Amino acid sequence: MSTDSKFAPRSLTASEYVRELFGPEDNAAILLRNRSTGHTSQSIAKAETIASTDFQSWLVAQNASGSDVFVGMNPIKDGAHSRTKGDIKHIRHVYLDLDRKGDQSLEAIRNSTDVPPPNFVLDTSPGKHQVVWKVSGFSQDEAESLLHSLANKFDGDPAATDSTRVLRLPGFANYKLSEEFIVQARQETDAVYRLRDFTIDEGSPEAPRHFGEYQQRERRMPSDHKSQSEHDWAYAKRALARGDDPEVVIQRIADYRADGKDDPNYYARHTVVKAQAALDSATKKTPDELGSKNEQTAVVPEH
């Protein structure tokens, strides 16, 4: 972690916020969503362009015509015209959308020893907040694993746990509300955090017990992509092997797949049953099939 101990917290305009999030030559995504017409558009431009007076005046006009204004939280690769995971150049931020018990969750973050003080706190509506940490040295998998765990621990929106997420830009009206509310942003530190600064206990299928340990394991893991079901199955096997209650494992998976599965409880139970069967099958193999104890330790990967 690097920081200036003399930093004085301050409120930020939209331009100031963009300049704090990105370097001048970083490509950033601006998304506009008009709730009245249903129209959504996205622009990708240099951060310095987005922070400029002309671009900000254009955003003001778009907001006045009914469009909510959002900014992508990680820079986009040069030449990219979309905001897919493959288009993300670097992980610069992790974040939480506190849209349920916002005030309580924000207080829990401020009092927690498991997470460092956030860099930015946005008030997006009465009692609702978005919290952002500046980070360095994260892979996309590490960032998204941490995002899931943060959302689980602090009751954040589980949908806001991907590296391509857009969050609100301060200084503009939030049209999700019946009464006008102007989004406000405060910068509370200029620290830049590393993976080891977050020590979240496991509470989701994707989240490791300790992120410092997870970073070491990741260096030994294959880099090939796994599907959602493969991640859940691997998680279930690990949890069952270390003795976690199967019903607890089922509930964790069901909670984190609630938005993506028609019947998350059935999916979670089916996943855990398969994982338990695989473990049972492995324990029935002969010593010749398994090899020596040392060989088993050497060839069984930690996912």
Side-chain angles (χ1 to χ4, degrees):
M1 177 182 68
S2 61
T3 184
D4 180 355
S5 60
K6 298 180 180 179
F7 184 85
R10 60 182 185 133
S11 296
L12 298 176
T13 65
S15 293
E16 290 169 338
Y17 185 57
V18 169
R19 290 189 174 109
E20 288 295 335
L21 292 178
F22 304 106
E25 295 303 310
D26 282 336
N27 299 308
I30 293 292
L31 186 136
L32 302 174
R33 181 180 296 132
N34 191 302
R35 296 186 182 276
S36 298
T37 65
H39 180 68
T40 299
S41 63
Q42 179 172 267
S43 302
I44 296 175
K46 298 293 184 185
E48 190 58 35
T49 298
I50 294 171
S52 68
T53 301
D54 288 347
F55 199 99
Q56 289 296 308
S57 296
W58 177 73
L59 288 179
V60 168
Q62 296 298 311
N63 188 231
S65 66
S67 290
D68 286 309
V69 183
F70 304 87
V71 60
M73 297 309 294
N74 288 303
I76 305 296
K77 292 177 180 176
D78 292 339
H81 300 288
S82 58
R83 204 182 73 254
T84 66
K85 287 188 180 183
D87 295 322
I88 299 298
K89 185 175 183 179
H90 302 295
I91 298 297
R92 293 276 184 79
H93 304 97
V94 294
Y95 31 81
L96 275 172
D97 189 354
L98 305 177
D99 64 346
R100 287 189 279 264
K101 300 177 181 179
D103 289 339
Q104 297 95 314
S105 295
L106 181 58
E107 184 68 15
I109 290 169
R110 295 193 189 285
N111 293 328
S112 176
T113 59
D114 294 327
V115 298
N119 294 84
F120 309 102
V121 175
L122 282 75
D123 300 328
T124 57
S125 62
K128 296 184 179 182
H129 313 281
Q130 290 175 345
V131 178
V132 181
W133 290 267
K134 282 187 173 185
V135 299
S136 177
F138 280 62
S139 70
Q140 282 196 42
D141 286 345
E142 288 168 342
E144 292 187 349
S145 184
L146 177 55
L147 289 170
H148 280 285
S149 195
L150 288 169
N152 181 59
K153 184 174 181 66
F154 297 109
D155 200 23
D157 183 356
T161 52
D162 56 276
S163 57
T164 62
R165 181 59 40 177
V166 294
L167 297 181
R168 289 191 178 273
L169 195 61
F172 297 97
N174 178 353
Y175 286 111
K176 191 175 181 179
L177 308 174
S178 57
E179 295 184 6
E180 182 178 282
F181 186 93
I182 304 299
V183 177
Q184 303 292 321
R186 296 185 306 280
Q187 184 178 12
E188 302 188 352
T189 176
D190 62 352
V192 179
Y193 300 110
R194 308 286 292 188
L195 200 57
R196 62 180 175 269
D197 295 315
F198 298 85
T199 54
I200 307 295
D201 290 336
E202 183 169 358
S204 76
E206 294 83 357
R209 286 188 177 275
H210 188 285
F211 278 85
E213 297 167 359
Y214 176 69
Q215 186 178 35
Q216 297 301 317
R217 291 201 302 269
E218 279 290 300
R219 291 171 184 160
R220 298 192 295 271
M221 288 176 58
S223 59
D224 52 303
H225 175 73
K226 290 183 175 63
S227 68
Q228 167 187 305
S229 60
E230 288 173 320
H231 278 296
D232 293 341
W233 186 77
Y235 161 75
K237 284 185 66 179
R238 292 199 309 275
L240 294 169
R242 67 179 175 239
D244 288 11
D245 184 337
E247 292 300 320
V248 173
V249 179
I250 289 168
Q251 192 58 54
R252 287 174 182 164
I253 295 174
D255 287 347
Y256 269 83
R257 301 309 180 196
D259 292 337
K261 297 292 180 182
D262 293 334
D263 191 341
N265 289 312
Y266 171 81
Y267 165 78
R269 188 167 296 278
H270 181 66
T271 299
V272 172
V273 168
K274 287 201 306 178
Q276 185 64 68
L279 289 173
D280 291 344
S281 176
T283 60
K284 292 176 182 178
K285 290 183 178 181
T286 67
D288 287 342
E289 290 174 312
L290 288 173
S292 70
K293 183 176 181 180
N294 288 338
E295 288 172 337
Q296 291 176 49
T297 302
V299 299
V300 177
E302 176 63 39
H303 294 296

